[in-house]
Amino acid sequence: MAEGRIITFKIKRSSAGGESHWDEFDIPWEPQMNVISALMHIQRTPKTRDGKTVAPVVWEQACLEEVCGSCSMVINGRVRQACSTLIDALLKDGGSTVTVEPMTKFPLVRDLIVDRSRMFEALKKVKAWIFLDGTHNLGPGPRQAPENQEEAYPLSRCMTCGCCVEACPNVNDSSPFIGAFAISQVRLFNLHPSGKMNANERLDAISGVGGVADCGKAQNCVEVCPKEIPLVDSIAVVGRDTLKRALFGWLLK
Amino acid sequence: MAGSKYVCTTSSGKVRRVAVVGGGLAGLMTVIKLCEAGVPVDLFSLVPVKRSHSVCAQGGINASVNTKGEGDSPRVHFEETVLGGDFLAQQPPCLGMADAAPGIVHLLDRMGVPFNRTPEGLLDFRRFGGTLYHRTAFAGATTGQQLLYALDEQVRRFETMQVEDDRGVAIPGEKMVRKFEFWDFVQLVLDDEGTCRGLVAQDLKSMELRAFPADAVCLATGGPGIIFGRSTNSTINTGIANAIAYKQGAVYGNGEMIQIHPTAIPGADKLRLISESARGEGGRVWVPKDPMDKRDPMQIPEKERRYFLEDKYPLYKNLVPRDVASRELFKVCYGEKAGIMGRNEVYLDLTHIPEAMLRKKLAGILEIYEKFVGVDPYHNPMKVFPAVHYSMGGMWVDFERDERGSLKLGSPRNQATSVTGLYNVGESDYQYHGANRLGANSLLSTIYAGMVAGPAIATYVDNLDRSAFDLPAELFSKVEKSEQKKFDDLASRDGTENPYGLHKELGEMMLRDVTIERHNPVLEKVIEKLGELEERYTKVAVVDKSTKANQAIPFMRHLEGMLILARVITEGALARNECRGAHYKPDYDDKNKDATHPIGRDDENWLRSTLAKWGGRDGARSKVSFIREFDYAVGSQKLHATDAIDISLMTLRKRDYTKKKAAFAADPTAAQKPAEAPKPADDAPKA
Ligand SMILES: Cc1cc2nc3c(=O)[nH]c(=O)nc-3n(C[C@H](O)[C@H](O)[C@H](O)COP(=O)(O)OP(=O)(O)OC[C@H]3O[C@@H](n4cnc5c(N)ncnc54)[C@H](O)[C@@H]3O)c2cc1C
Ligand code: SF4
Ligand code: SF4
Ligand code: FES
């Protein structure tokens, strides 16, 4: 793209009465421009295309390098991280308009900010932690094969950004489905040599209503995950393990 | 919790709590230690703690576990830390940290951090700058993220645990940790004696301001990189919490010590870091011998490239400490105009390393280059330039020595600031890195500081005569009201200055004039300009009138804090007429003006901390007073502190990375000595 080019940002805003409206901003193209650098530009000069001065857009951000999970938004119809969405890549097939909307599966706070606390609650529910005896010095941890690390590490990069929840057709107002990320965390902790010891607690938390069985295997989640976490594999592994537990759990009783 | 003697309820049955502000590694470790000691916590953070800046750390965490048979030991780690910091670090806490490091890495491993492994299933270690040993444990190239998640998970577990009274009965509705995320700390509550009794914070969604009593407050609020506009830091790193505490009387140490990282990707919104681990895994820095060489870098033959770090430092090569490397890059680009195509860029080259190996060890970092530049770094050398990265300076904190000269665990003096009842840990404190931080030592120091602060605070609150929760409510409502008034006043500003525009001006000036090279006449101009910016700040306009999730008004508050700390940094730099670590003044490198390796360290006059104290305002302009000593108290202990550095454990020596093993220039046998028996990394308070 060339210098002097103008990119139009159509941004969905909250109105005072609780409804939404769109504001359009014209922003000069810059090399390596991304959606956040454009929002920063609006912050400094919050003037719409038709010359009206408005309140700067509000959004969440922190790391600007796609590792904190703050900046998930729906950009040109697809949920993604605003900081790593380069305008050149986004518009590589032409066009000069970028639409930006808040995620829809979480309660709206204002403009592009939504409330993702349900995700952190889900992590409590599935006990996504090691049951540590304490932080006093107990010497080295369990030995682990490099292959174990190679399986765990990608799962451990989940930044609770919510893209998988936004994209999932089975998450909606009338469904309590927990979401792919939480299922994948169950797999992560059940893989760890000491995490395994509480595997059943986690499997129980993810069985039943809102659990892994509510997933319709639509695979939308894996397509949007910015960290390319193998969510469908995780769902398969955890689904199989809950099933096994349901069968043998009953037998053992 | 059972087993602790701490009584966590007041006589009227209220739950007593400690407030921790900041949920990066330092804050979370403090919270865990407090909970283990039976002390309930209120935890505040600008963002969900899982999104704290610590996630950005890529390369790894240091610990001399010596699994590669190199003869590494905590003593060597300690000496290299002190030497790397050019002798400005306090030695007892550094020794405590180096001794505790192997235990800390093992602890993190037990918590489930997916550290890279050797074929035997042990932890793998890599090399970082300022050392010749493989001492850095790593989890892919997102070590900070992995460490933060491990601590975040343990804190989440405490969020589900009940507070128990001294008979072990659960108190209904009270959890060990209460989180206040999207809350901005705005003021400490100090009683008439100046003891810290709690804080006021603001909910950034509803904009509610509320006072919270706390038996102690611990700031763990990270670095101030955003003062420089663009840096490698997260956008929330404005340093505001330290600015607030400083304004309320806490002493600030070594503000001028700002680390410039040699290798970042230039960018309009952020300067994204390419971790030192890229060089640790064999990455080479070079420029074409002919700067105007138009060929694709892969077509430029070896003999027409200039590997300027390897030429000058044949032993450490590309892994000299950061200050040294940054100055070399700066000299090549600015001094010799020999950057790529005459621009401020050099090559950082990994293309000689097999792609599979790079993917295994550096994928997280290289992905950043690929994502944000759009070029494949596996087959093309990356283009990089130095960027502001880390603050060695921060809030002054105390420590107590033990018989060995190391840090005495459990002492309530550890990590205590000059304000009674206020503690500080992590990048926001000043004591572990002196004038320059070694790579992979920060993650370690944040966690170690948290391990030390937890027991220290537990001891302090155990010995309080009176709990903050038994004090009259007016103490808190008074501060809450005055903060509300300040906020309403800010919200009604209708001046002419855009706060974001002012910040841009501040950042551009600080980045240009107060980083790699410092010149007194320039610094004087910066100080004058800062005064002007402070005056213009009084004429800011509120650009957003909304009463919900208003980001503009809190930003104004943060801007005021950034202006205050910018002055502390710049006046500190002006005063310190020498070269030490990251602080480099060519005019005071008297013996050799062209040396990028400063030999102008002036131990006679400047082997001391810069101690800054808020000096009030002259009109709109803030004032700093630099002090040499002060009195303060921890509980009933009356103490006196000076700016002297504790150098009782290692004698001064020259910092020269061009020859020999720098840390052992004076004692070549030290590396062969057996490791000292490691001290337990922690323990319940002993007092
Ligand atoms: C790109 C990058 C890479 C790095 N790589 C490494 C590495 O490989 N190895 C290494 O050792 N170090 C590395 N570092 C340095 C290291 O990451 C940081 O120094 C360290 O993570 C700081 O941790 P912290 O806990 O002190 O603070 P942070 O993680 O910055 O946390 C600060 C916390 O304070 C909160 N906070 C701040 N102000 C307020 C307020 N007013 N109210 C409420 N809450 C507030 C924030 O919300 C946050 O929770 C790197 C740094 C960067 C920038
Ligand atoms: S695979 Fe399951 S979790 Fe993923 S989008 Fe489909 S229904 Fe949702
Ligand atoms: S699984 Fe992927 S998309 Fe879902 S929260 Fe984690 S990182 Fe985001
Ligand atoms: S700002 Fe952190 S992921 Fe985008």
Side-chain angles (χ1 to χ4, degrees), chain A residues 59 63-64 66 135 153 156, chain B residues 36 142 146 270 272 371:
Chain A
W59 74 95
C63 71
L64 302 196
E66 201 193 74
T135 58
Y153 177 66
S156 190
Chain B
E36 288 186 341
T142 58
Q146 299 306 317
K270 180 175 183 177
R272 295 176 177 88
K371 271 202 170 130

Side-chain angles (χ1 to χ4, degrees), chain A residues 34 44 59 61-66 68 83 110 128 130 134-136 143-144 149 153 156 159-160, chain B residues 33 36 50-51 110 114-116 121 142 146 154 235 269-270 272 371-372 498 544 548 551 682:
Chain A
N34 61 52
R44 285 192 293 271
W59 74 95
Q61 64 171 30
C63 71
L64 302 196
E65 50 192 55
E66 201 193 74
C68 78
C83 64
R110 184 185 165 199
I130 301 287
T135 58
H136 44 291
R143 284 199 187 194
Q144 281 186 61
Q149 189 268 348
Y153 177 66
S156 190
M159 52 186 187
T160 329
Chain B
K33 281 288 178 191
E36 288 186 341
K50 196 173 180 179
R51 311 201 194 287
R110 283 171 47 219
F115 283 119
N116 282 49
T142 58
Q146 299 306 317
Q154 294 302 319
T235 54
D269 51 341
K270 180 175 183 177
R272 295 176 177 88
K371 271 202 170 130
F372 290 91
N498 179 312
D544 186 355
K548 209 170 161 191
Q551 295 179 335
D682 50 75

Side-chain angles (χ1 to χ4, degrees), chain B residues 416-432:
Chain B
T417 71
S418 58
V419 172
T420 306
L422 179 67
Y423 287 75
N424 198 308
V425 290
E427 190 171 337
S428 54
D429 83 28
Y430 93 119
Q431 74 179 348
Y432 295 94

Side-chain angles (χ1 to χ4, degrees), chain A residues 63 65-72 80-81 83-84 116 119-120 123 154-163 181 185 225-227 229, chain B residues 50-51 55 145 149 371:
Chain A
C63 71
E65 50 192 55
E66 201 193 74
V67 67
C68 78
S70 294
C71 65
S72 321
R80 46 188 134 202
Q81 302 312 113
C83 64
S84 58
R116 281 174 279 186
M119 294 186 75
F120 296 103
L123 294 178
L155 306 177
S156 190
R157 294 182 70 196
C158 168
M159 52 186 187
T160 329
C161 68
C163 291
F181 72 101
Q185 290 288 304
C225 174
K227 297 285 116 180
I229 295 172
Chain B
K50 196 173 180 179
R51 311 201 194 287
V55 288
Q145 180 193 36
Y149 289 3
K371 271 202 170 130

Side-chain angles (χ1 to χ4, degrees), chain B residues 8 16 41 46 69 142 220 345 353 358-359 367 369 383 401 467 476 493 599 614 678-679:
Chain B
C8 62
R16 299 169 59 189
V41 179
L46 289 169
T142 58
E345 283 172 342
I353 303 171
L358 292 176
R359 290 211 181 267
E367 173 189 293
Y369 194 83
K383 289 182 191 167
R401 296 170 49 121
S467 168
F476 301 96
R493 296 295 179 83
I599 45 180
W614 172 248
K679 207 164 45 112

Side-chain angles (χ1 to χ4, degrees), chain B residues 211-275:
Chain B
F212 294 82
D215 276 343
V217 172
C218 182
L219 300 183
T221 46
I226 298 304
I227 291 175
F228 295 83
R230 291 168 303 151
S231 73
T232 64
N233 285 197
S234 296
T235 54
I236 52 176
N237 290 17
T238 60
I240 180 64
N242 267 352
I244 291 165
Y246 162 74
K247 236 177 119 182
Q248 290 189 269
V251 173
Y252 199 88
N254 295 338
E256 68 276 19
M257 294 303 176
I258 299 289
Q259 178 166 80
I260 314 299
H261 197 290
T263 59
I265 318 168
D269 51 341
K270 180 175 183 177
L271 309 175
R272 295 176 177 88
L273 182 80
I274 296 297
S275 164

Side-chain angles (χ1 to χ4, degrees), chain B residues 34-101:
Chain B
L34 282 167
C35 288
E36 288 186 341
V39 182
V41 179
D42 280 345
L43 172 57
F44 298 83
S45 173
L46 289 169
V47 292
V49 296
K50 196 173 180 179
R51 311 201 194 287
S52 295
H53 170 64
S54 290
V55 288
C56 289
Q58 305 166 351
I61 176 167
N62 284 338
S64 295
V65 180
N66 190 30
T67 50
K68 307 260 179 203
E70 298 169 326
D72 193 12
S73 74
R75 176 75 202 185
V76 183
H77 182 188
F78 158 74
E79 295 202 4
E80 290 185 337
T81 301
V82 169
L83 185 80
D86 228 348
F87 290 92
L88 204 60
Q90 300 289 1
Q91 296 187 0
C94 288
L95 180 63
M97 172 174 87
D99 279 342

